[in-house]
Amino acid sequence: MRQRSLIAITATLAAGALTLTACGSRDDNGGGSSGSGSGGTTVVIGVDAPLTGDLSELGLGIKNSVDLATKIANKKKFVEGVTFKIEALDDQAQPSSGQQNATKFVANDQVLGAVGPLNSSVGESMQKVFDDAKLVQVSPANTNPSLTQGPDWQKTKTRPYKAYFRTATTDAIQGPFAAQYLYNDSKKRKVFVIDDKKTYGAGLAATFTAEFKKLGGKVVGTEHIDPETKDFSAVATKVKSSGADVVYYGGEYPQAGPLSKQIKAAGAKIPLVGGDGIYSADFIKLAGASGTGDLATSVGAPVEELPSAKEFVANYKDAGYKEDYAAYGGYSYDSAWAIIEAVKKVVEDNDGKLPDDAREKVTAAMQDVSFDGVTGKVSFDEFGDATNKQLTVYAVENGDWNDVESGTYTG
């Protein structure tokens, strides 16, 4: 169990597949009946995540947590006459694979909802496919603001897709949250900003940079890296010569770990700081001993410290999954449970059966879903964003991530 030093920070900013058994039927519009006979109706929630490759630790935690939600729903008989299962597809953290997976779910007229993906760039590739089919998608991990608030979100917020929701808060809060912590609490004044040019990383680095500058901090250098390589020696040399007292990295842990290690090896004994994309046990392995003191922000509060999560942690352990629930386990469970809640509402409103237009009705019902989840209160605003805006700062100490004290982000 990880040690936790202080409290999590609440950062507030004003601002799937469904398969029926042979007992049931479904039309081409994603509708169907609840079926009859002893089998009832089987609802399979789709899961899209990187189940292989560098980010599989996070992806498998997502899959397992969704699976756990279905098991608990079945045990409680939460939706009368409905049995939940999952179908998990591997997107390998690639937008093209994610889009193909979305198309597979949509092509099956028995599909009602999906949890995922992990990566914002993958989510971006899937949104229109799901939205065109009125198939609800709930991501536990996407944080790029444009997915829910449109490409011009900093000027005018416009929701592009009504079928897309998320239980994680956005980088419109996460980036500035990190900037305020570094400037006000850690007293950092000169930052070197690096990103991987991907949707998540570049967006996070941009929101961080804007806030850090607004506070009076100075950006002494910027660089983009190729996420396909692990040789960052040239960038590390630039960091050393820049005089920066901190590095901010927009990207994910497979690159962040080696980058941190090489920056220290170049002689820049300064912390590397990133977002939830680097908050992983594998970052610590990749960064090595020199990663001590590096920082990460992550969505929500430490699951182990939330009273609302105690049952989830115990149930996950009892289920015997080989992999940890990792950074997004609680949010994945809540994403799946949101779909389960929406299915329950649709079934109850249709005299205990799934209606012919179940897919469209589940998507509509998601907007009003509200329940006490693993991560706290789960509900969605007018953009499909989570109303829960919690974030936490973690530091690498004694070979583990430990939460540290910080302030509340005020926009």
Side-chain angles (χ1 to χ4, degrees):
M1 186 65 70
R2 299 186 181 101
Q3 296 178 347
R4 304 294 181 189
S5 57
L6 289 168
I7 60 173
I9 310 306
T10 301
T12 305
L13 180 66
L18 176 85
T19 302
L20 296 184
T21 65
C23 301
S25 63
R26 181 162 295 279
D27 62 26
D28 291 338
N29 295 317
S33 68
S34 61
S36 59
S38 60
T41 300
T42 300
V43 176
V44 181
I45 297 175
V47 182
D48 177 89
L51 305 179
T52 58
D54 289 343
L55 296 172
S56 60
E57 180 207 11
L58 301 177
L60 290 168
I62 290 172
K63 185 195 80 168
N64 293 344
S65 299
V66 175
D67 183 65
L68 179 62
T70 64
K71 284 179 166 60
I72 297 300
N74 294 338
K75 183 178 180 181
K76 293 182 176 182
K77 297 183 179 179
F78 191 73
V79 183
E80 190 67 33
V82 172
T83 299
F84 292 94
K85 294 181 181 179
I86 72 165
E87 179 183 346
L89 297 179
D90 183 9
D91 64 31
Q92 300 176 315
Q94 297 297 322
S96 58
S97 296
Q99 189 174 68
Q100 290 168 11
N101 291 345
T103 301
K104 288 177 183 177
F105 286 134
V106 167
N108 180 354
D109 63 5
Q110 297 175 330
V111 172
L112 281 193
V115 174
L118 168 71
N119 307 83
S120 290
S121 57
V122 178
E124 195 172 41
S125 75
M126 304 173 80
Q127 286 181 299
K128 189 176 188 303
V129 178
F130 282 132
D131 198 70
D132 286 348
K134 297 181 174 61
L135 174 59
V136 74
Q137 171 188 10
V138 188
S139 173
N142 292 169
T143 55
N144 188 279
S146 66
L147 297 178
T148 48
Q149 300 172 22
D152 297 322
W153 63 270
Q154 290 173 306
K155 297 178 181 178
T156 305
K157 294 180 175 64
T158 303
R159 184 175 184 177
Y161 300 107
K162 291 185 178 180
Y164 179 87
F165 297 81
R166 54 179 155 200
T167 53
T169 194
T170 77
D171 295 334
I173 295 174
Q174 184 171 201
F177 178 74
Q180 288 202 354
Y181 177 78
L182 291 178
Y183 190 89
N184 295 328
D185 293 74
S186 296
K187 308 302 180 185
K188 302 300 183 184
R189 296 294 182 265
K190 295 183 293 182
V191 63
F192 196 106
V193 180
I194 306 169
D195 70 66
D196 62 2
K197 299 183 287 187
K198 292 163 68 174
T199 301
Y200 162 74
L204 181 60
T207 59
F208 167 86
T209 298
E211 181 71 11
F212 195 75
K213 285 181 176 179
K214 188 174 81 171
L215 292 169
K218 183 178 181 182
V219 177
V220 296
T222 60
E223 192 63 69
H224 307 288
I225 64 154
D226 178 0
E228 298 302 317
T229 185
K230 295 295 191 296
D231 181 4
F232 307 117
S233 55
V235 177
T237 299
K238 290 182 181 179
V239 171
K240 173 64 170 64
S241 62
S242 71
D245 54 17
V246 64
V247 171
Y248 190 81
Y249 177 66
E252 296 151 336
Y253 66 82
Q255 296 75 37
L259 178 61
S260 172
K261 190 172 187 177
Q262 291 172 45
I263 286 172
K264 271 77 164 183
K269 308 300 183 183
I270 58 177
L272 180 141
V273 183
D276 54 314
I278 80 167
Y279 178 55
S280 164
D282 281 359
F283 169 84
I284 297 174
K285 296 174 185 176
L286 293 167
S290 62
T292 297
D294 286 347
L295 301 166
T297 54
S298 189
V299 295
V303 169
E304 295 88 348
E305 291 186 357
L306 290 171
S308 59
K310 288 182 179 179
E311 186 177 0
F312 164 74
V313 173
N315 287 338
Y316 193 97
K317 182 178 179 181
D318 290 344
Y321 297 110
K322 294 179 181 179
E323 305 86 10
D324 186 61
Y325 48 78
Y328 303 103
Y331 289 88
S332 303
Y333 186 99
D334 284 347
S335 294
W337 202 266
I339 294 174
I340 291 167
E341 289 274 2
V343 170
K344 180 181 177 71
K345 176 71 163 59
V346 170
V347 168
E348 289 179 347
D349 286 352
N350 195 52
D351 299 323
K353 301 176 293 183
L354 284 171
D356 290 342
D357 58 348
R359 180 178 284 178
E360 182 175 359
K361 279 190 164 58
V362 167
T363 298
M366 185 63 67
Q367 189 63 52
D368 297 320
V369 160
S370 180
F371 62 96
D372 293 321
V374 172
T375 59
K377 187 72 174 180
V378 177
S379 60
F380 307 99
D381 66 16
E382 67 269 32
F383 301 103
D385 282 328
T387 55
N388 185 343
K389 309 294 185 183
Q390 288 186 308
L391 287 163
T392 303
V393 174
Y394 297 90
V396 178
E397 300 170 357
N398 301 316
D400 203 353
W401 287 109
N402 297 288
D403 58 293
V404 297
E405 183 178 12
S406 69
T408 299
Y409 171 65
T410 53

